[in-house]
């Protein structure tokens, strides 16, 4: 079955039958993202082919961030076996876009960003996180992961 048909099946299964699917910007990985809309509802579909990537660590990290009062998208639905996550749509307000239209907000925006990074840096370092009873290793980002 084609990947597009699997996506339609997943969306139908999780209550998004007939939703419009539009591509979002790419990712420097095997992942693909689509904006999903149905009536007034919006979400983001993460398509991470399971032969290349396990989506469980993404969910584990998102839940860990939220548990520590940091921002991460809500996980609306998942199909780990096929590599699909339906995520809260956090919108299109990129720093670049806001700064182009409201340059006076530069200090405010960067102050918020730095404060969030300080909070993340203050969290205890975990070599793995547990999600659904499984431990998911957190590989430090470096040259080896970049080249992979």
């Amino acid at each position: 079955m084609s990947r597009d048909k699997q996506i339609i099946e997943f969306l139908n299964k999780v209550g998004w039958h007939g939703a419009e699917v539009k591509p979002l910007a790419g990712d420097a990985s095997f992942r693909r993202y689509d904006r999903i809309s149905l009536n007034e509802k919006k979400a983001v579909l993460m398509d991470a082919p399971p032969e290349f990537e396990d989506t469980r660590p993404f969910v584990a990290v998102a839940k860990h961030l939220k548990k520590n009062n940091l921002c991460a998208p809500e996980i609306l639905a998942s199909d780990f076996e096929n590599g699909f996550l339906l995520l809260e749509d956090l919108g299109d307000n990129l720093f670049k876009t806001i700064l182009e239209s409201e340059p006076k907000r530069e200090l405010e925006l960067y102050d918020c960003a730095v404060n969030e990074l300080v909070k993340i840096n203050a969290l205890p370092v975990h070599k793995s996180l547990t999600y659904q009873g499984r431990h998911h290793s957190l590989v430090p980002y470096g040259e080896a992961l970049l080249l992979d």
Side-chain angles (χ1 to χ4, degrees):
M1 175 185 316
S2 78
R3 198 74 181 150
D4 289 337
K5 285 184 181 179
Q6 285 180 312
I7 288 170
I8 298 300
E9 278 190 9
F10 170 68
L11 292 173
N12 290 345
K13 187 172 91 177
V14 298
W16 288 73
H17 178 76
E20 183 179 6
V21 179
K22 291 184 179 177
L24 280 172
D27 184 298
S29 71
F30 292 104
R31 286 184 227 142
R32 171 181 120 184
Y33 294 92
D34 295 305
R35 175 158 282 138
I36 310 300
S37 36
L38 181 64
N39 303 320
E40 298 299 314
K41 297 189 312 182
K42 290 187 188 270
V44 170
L45 174 75
M46 177 198 288
D47 173 5
E51 62 271 22
F52 299 113
E53 186 168 356
D54 182 4
T55 53
R56 288 175 185 92
F58 179 94
V59 175
V61 169
K63 291 191 176 295
H64 179 70
L65 291 172
K66 288 180 91 56
K67 183 178 89 177
N68 286 282
N69 298 314
L70 291 158
C71 187
E74 192 70 41
I75 311 300
L76 305 174
S78 60
D79 177 347
F80 297 121
E81 287 67 37
N82 289 305
F84 299 126
L85 295 177
L86 193 61
L87 309 170
E88 172 187 10
D89 186 343
L90 298 176
D92 291 320
N93 271 345
L94 304 175
F95 269 39
K96 178 182 181 287
T97 308
I98 295 171
L99 291 173
E100 285 172 354
S101 63
E102 302 176 63
K104 290 182 180 181
R105 293 189 62 199
E106 181 177 22
L107 185 59
E108 169 198 351
L109 291 174
Y110 282 105
D111 190 46
C112 287
V114 168
N115 287 336
E116 292 303 298
L117 290 171
V118 168
K119 288 179 195 174
I120 291 169
N121 195 48
L123 293 176
V125 175
H126 295 280
K127 294 195 186 283
S128 70
L129 292 174
T130 303
Y131 177 69
Q132 291 189 328
R134 293 177 57 187
H135 294 287
H136 302 283
S137 295
L138 301 177
V139 180
Y141 190 80
E143 185 177 3
L145 185 58
L146 174 66
L147 293 174
D148 187 36

